[in-house]
Amino acid sequence: MKNIVLIGLSGSGKSTLGAAVAERFGLDFFDTDAETERGAGMSIAQIFSEYGEARFREWEAAAAQAAARRKGCVIATGGGVILRAENLRALRHNGRVVFLDRPPVEIANDLDVRARPLLAADAGRIHELSRARRERYLACADVCLPCADGLRDAFERLCAFVRGAYPDADFAVIGDPVGHSLSPAIHNAVFAALGISDAYRAIHVPAGGLEDFARRARASRLRGFNVTIPHKQSIIQFLDETDEEARLCGAVNTVRVRDGRLTGYNTDAEGLLRAFGRRGRAYGGGDIAILGAGGAAAGIAVKAAREGARRITIFAGRRPEKAGELARRALGAAGPHKPELVAAEMKPDALRAGLCDADILINATPLGMRGMADDHASLAFLEYLPARALVCDLIYDPPQTKFLREAAARGLETMNGLDMLVAQALLADEIFLGRALNAAALYAIAAAAISRKKRDGGASREAFGAE
Ligand code: NAP
């Protein structure tokens, strides 16, 4: 997968925009100036004053070579990176070069010259640099991005460019927001372990952009994509067909693209079932309680009904009618042995009745998720559960929600959503690649990729309120 390489004058917004766009699309970000400073152990201004420009260009060239060895990364370069042909050769080899064409007059107005040695004596020198370098930037770039209307406008244009480049990927996850998604880290690690060079990336598709995306996906080199919030249900109308599981639960999280046709699948519910299986748990003959009646709850309720659960209680989130609708859907999907299906509200009496004999309780609401202001108003209902109950939260960030903490404090077995996340991703890869995979071996690889991604973090989420 190609890098996105940003070039342009000092102060044209390469670092700020690069970090924000990387965050928006879930890509890694690499800043050659920051790398040069890290390598030298001092600021660029200090390098210039202690060693001079020639030495700085040597270090900058080393940083450009290091950047060029990356894959699927957004790279912000120093303004003078184009002065050496070998820098450009390396960066172009595996990258699409974008010139951020910001008028020098705007740069001069905004610039903090303390960090820009070439402009420290005279900020007006930016005009001279522009005259000397602009032709070169244009000649080096695959695309010139006009940035005369402010950084937010430039950000949107750059996002559009990255989005338009999606046929460069073989697989993707689409959502809004999508920058938080761990899917690129998981799938790329799995592909690398399988010796497959297929690239998987995050593509930001806003509400209203789904139809256009589906049309372009048919004609692109995409071979499949995953679907995350908020599109799991709305994508269905733009697909050619869905498999039975996706049809029954009314949600799609995996789409296979073949010969211009889009086929939808749902691996979420089977992923959770496999995650339970790793702990010796199953739905068959069990009493299953679900908090929430949204997309994930639908898949789980339908799956539990088809797997022979004895009783399924669905507690509505905020809209009671949703639990009733889901109960009817799950009952209709069940095989010959119909489970008892109960739709209830999260009120003390109903919670006591629904939980007192539960084998598994699943939180399928976003309550307690990082970035979500709301949490469960009270968790006193956990006391109704029998000691054998497994308490599961589909949330994996944070790894231990208050819901799980309190359940563990009561001595109950708990599990978060990480195992489900990995299992559904591996099932999606089987659909994408059209063959069975060794899930046990790949599980550790995918889990390690998630830990690495979480440890390394990413660029600031606050930038432009991107996510
Ligand atoms: P969804 O379709 O939006 O459904 C969310 C459910 O939670 C709805 O029933 C909703 O009720 C309820 N809800 C939302 N906000 C609430 C609040 N403030 N108070 C009470 N109830 C509230 O979302 P989803 O796709 O089912 O996802 C649910 C959770 O599962 C999310 O945290 C998601 O990240 C997680 N998930 C994890 C995995 C994994 O691999 N681990 C996979 C899928 C989903 P109303 O509809 O009545 O508002």
Side-chain angles (χ1 to χ4, degrees):
M1 180 182 171
K2 294 210 165 199
N3 295 318
I4 306 285
V5 181
L6 305 181
I7 62 170
L9 286 169
S10 186
S12 56
K14 300 178 296 279
S15 300
T16 314
L17 291 172
V21 164
E23 173 67 11
R24 164 68 68 94
F25 291 94
L27 301 171
D28 287 332
F29 175 63
F30 189 99
D31 187 322
T32 62
D33 274 351
E35 182 66 18
T36 304
E37 291 187 330
R38 198 167 30 248
M42 62 182 80
S43 70
I44 287 175
Q46 285 172 312
I47 299 175
F48 265 77
S49 74
E50 288 195 34
Y51 296 101
E53 182 174 350
R55 188 70 180 275
F56 167 75
R57 297 289 168 212
E58 293 294 336
W59 280 334
E60 181 180 56
Q65 297 291 335
R69 286 193 288 276
R70 299 291 195 101
K71 278 189 179 161
C73 182
V74 179
I75 299 168
T77 61
V81 81
I82 48 144
L83 298 176
R84 289 190 174 201
E86 75 263 27
N87 292 349
L88 258 301
R89 250 197 317 277
L91 289 164
R92 287 181 66 95
H93 179 67
N94 183 36
R96 304 195 70 199
V97 179
V98 181
F99 170 33
L100 299 185
D101 191 13
R102 190 167 185 220
V105 63
E106 271 194 37
I107 297 178
N109 286 342
D110 282 1
L111 207 60
D112 176 2
V113 292
R114 284 166 305 183
R116 320 268 176 182
L118 288 181
L119 304 170
D122 173 15
R125 208 183 145 219
I126 193 74
H127 297 279
E128 195 184 312
L129 283 175
S130 176
R131 276 192 297 277
R133 292 180 179 172
R134 192 165 182 280
E135 284 306 311
R136 184 112 192 215
Y137 285 130
L138 284 168
C140 296
D142 293 300
V143 61
C144 170
L145 213 78
C147 300
D149 296 321
L151 279 187
R152 174 168 285 279
D153 179 74
F155 174 68
E156 292 304 338
R157 284 170 189 261
L158 191 52
C159 285
F161 169 75
V162 176
R163 263 201 301 279
Y166 71 78
D168 282 356
D170 296 282
F171 302 105
V173 55
I174 63 166
D176 179 21
V178 77
H180 69 289
S181 174
L182 293 171
S183 292
I186 299 173
H187 291 276
N188 282 322
V190 169
F191 290 158
L194 293 171
I196 297 170
S197 58
D198 297 332
Y200 185 109
R201 61 188 290 191
I203 297 175
H204 175 238
V205 177
L210 261 188
E211 184 171 9
D212 182 50
F213 175 83
R215 185 177 48 74
R216 293 162 73 191
R218 290 173 200 279
S220 77
R221 67 177 253 207
L222 272 179
R223 291 196 280 141
F225 57 92
N226 290 117
V227 183
T228 187
I229 47 170
H231 303 317
K232 286 186 183 180
Q233 284 147 347
S234 38
I235 187 73
I236 292 177
Q237 60 192 303
F238 304 117
L239 304 178
D240 297 296
E241 64 223 347
T242 53
D243 81 341
E244 196 189 4
E245 182 114 358
R247 182 182 60 77
L248 286 172
C249 64
V252 159
N253 78 332
T254 300
V255 177
R256 195 187 64 171
V257 187
R258 285 284 183 287
D259 304 323
R261 288 182 70 75
L262 306 181
T263 307
Y265 303 83
N266 191 314
T267 66
D268 277 338
E270 176 65 22
L272 182 61
L273 185 58
R274 299 229 175 157
F276 285 146
R278 286 169 64 85
R279 292 164 173 259
R281 302 276 187 153
Y283 294 136
D287 184 325
I288 313 300
I290 305 168
L291 305 180
I300 296 164
V302 165
K303 190 80 173 173
R306 284 159 65 81
E307 289 288 318
R310 176 169 47 86
R311 183 166 77 145
I312 302 168
T313 308
I314 301 160
F315 292 97
R318 290 164 293 198
R319 292 171 291 170
E321 73 279 8
K322 298 298 268 182
E325 283 165 25
L326 178 50
R328 284 189 290 281
R329 178 190 281 269
L331 194 60
H337 301 293
K338 297 284 183 199
E340 180 189 348
L341 261 147
V342 183
E345 291 186 52
M346 285 196 225
K347 294 192 172 155
D349 284 350
L351 284 160
R352 184 191 297 273
L355 300 184
C356 65
D357 202 22
D359 296 293
I360 301 179
L361 167 64
I362 302 162
N363 176 38
T365 75
L367 291 169
M369 190 168 79
R370 188 181 303 283
M372 168 104 185
D374 295 341
D375 207 329
H376 299 271
S378 162
L379 289 164
F381 59 79
L382 291 170
E383 80 191 38
Y384 304 138
L385 288 166
R388 67 171 189 280
L390 166 65
V391 177
C392 167
D393 202 329
L394 299 192
I395 293 168
Y396 49 83
D397 187 15
Q400 202 184 27
T401 53
K402 194 169 88 180
F403 175 70
L404 289 187
R405 255 196 328 275
E406 297 218 0
R410 289 177 153 83
L412 297 163
E413 182 185 352
T414 61
M415 88 179 234
N416 68 16
L418 205 62
D419 279 3
M420 173 187 179
L421 179 74
V422 173
Q424 62 79 25
L426 292 174
L427 288 164
D429 283 341
E430 292 193 342
I431 292 168
F432 289 155
L433 302 175
R435 62 180 160 110
L437 299 176
N438 181 342
L442 292 172
Y443 183 90
I445 287 161
I450 292 171
S451 312
R452 262 197 317 279
K453 173 79 182 165
K454 285 182 157 181
R455 191 191 58 226
D456 297 347
S460 161
R461 275 181 189 203
E462 279 72 52
F464 304 104
E467 296 292 347

